[in-house]
Amino acid sequence: MEEERRYHLRMSCTHLGASNDIDKMQVEMLNDDSWVVVSLGDPNMSPFKIFMFSTLLCQNSYLYMNASERELELESTVATAEIRSVDFYIKEIVSEFTSTLRAGEPTEGDTSYVCERMIKCPVTRNLESVRKKTTLQLGPHRTFVDSGE
């Protein structure tokens, strides 16, 4: 019998300068009804959970790198993801990112470009059969990319 599971992840970080490198980051996972801070270096962390976090962190990397390319300096980013799996096969990733800006004024085109690049980061690109939905709020602009399926 197939077992469906849903995992809820959350990440927050602050950025440094025009390169948007990460200054501080915190990742959490919903455990029952409360958020628990996760250390990805914890030797007891399930490799499957680390893999799930890699999808969120990879998209975040593509967010800050592509924002920097568009000369948008990020102050902070908050992201959530819901990952649905069946028998530990990931079926769907729904993620939402909200970034505040320190400098720059993004256009709708900038926001769409960054979001489209995020959904094509190397980790999510390797999950061809997985439906991916990513939403990005960058300054006043909000955009959504759905990989279909």
Side-chain angles (χ1 to χ4, degrees), residues 52-88:
M52 289 189 300
F53 273 107
S54 72
T55 64
L56 189 66
L57 299 177
C58 189
Q59 284 192 16
N60 186 57
S61 293
Y62 268 55
L63 162 59
Y64 72 77
M65 287 186 297
N66 286 284
S68 180
E69 180 182 299
R70 294 289 175 128
E71 298 181 2
L72 302 170
E73 191 174 330
L74 304 177
E75 176 77 35
S76 62
T77 300
V78 175
T80 59
E82 180 179 306
I83 299 176
R84 184 177 61 83
S85 74
V86 176
D87 290 339
F88 293 103

Side-chain angles (χ1 to χ4, degrees), residues 134-148:
T134 298
T135 303
L136 172 61
Q137 178 79 41
L138 188 56
H141 304 289
R142 185 177 183 87
T143 193
F144 173 76
V145 177
D146 187 337
S147 69

Side-chain angles (χ1 to χ4, degrees), residues 1-143:
M1 176 175 223
E2 292 184 343
E3 182 179 356
E4 181 174 301
R5 296 174 186 222
R6 292 184 185 268
Y7 300 89
H8 299 271
L9 316 174
R10 184 165 68 183
M11 180 222 59
S12 59
C13 65
T14 54
H15 301 276
L16 290 171
S19 67
N20 292 324
D21 290 339
I22 293 176
D23 178 30
K24 295 178 185 168
M25 177 185 285
Q26 180 169 300
V27 291
E28 300 169 287
M29 179 172 258
L30 190 61
N31 189 1
D32 296 322
D33 290 331
S34 62
W35 289 96
V36 176
V37 175
V38 173
S39 170
L40 298 176
D42 180 350
N44 296 313
M45 171 70 93
S46 149
F48 185 68
K49 289 179 182 176
I50 292 172
F51 178 68
M52 289 189 300
F53 273 107
S54 72
T55 64
L56 189 66
L57 299 177
C58 189
Q59 284 192 16
N60 186 57
S61 293
Y62 268 55
L63 162 59
Y64 72 77
M65 287 186 297
N66 286 284
S68 180
E69 180 182 299
R70 294 289 175 128
E71 298 181 2
L72 302 170
E73 191 174 330
L74 304 177
E75 176 77 35
S76 62
T77 300
V78 175
T80 59
E82 180 179 306
I83 299 176
R84 184 177 61 83
S85 74
V86 176
D87 290 339
F88 293 103
Y89 288 100
I90 295 175
K91 298 295 183 182
E92 183 178 52
I93 301 170
V94 178
S95 53
E96 187 164 329
F97 292 78
T98 302
S99 291
T100 56
L101 293 163
R102 180 177 294 122
E105 295 183 28
T107 64
E108 243 178 86
D110 291 330
T111 304
S112 294
Y113 172 81
V114 171
C115 193
E116 287 171 19
R117 297 289 299 143
M118 289 167 60
I119 206 165
K120 294 176 182 171
C121 79
V123 174
T124 54
R125 190 179 327 162
N126 276 284
L127 298 170
E128 287 183 25
S129 64
V130 175
R131 184 168 192 178
K132 297 166 282 282
K133 301 175 186 177
T134 298
T135 303
L136 172 61
Q137 178 79 41
L138 188 56
H141 304 289
R142 185 177 183 87
T143 193

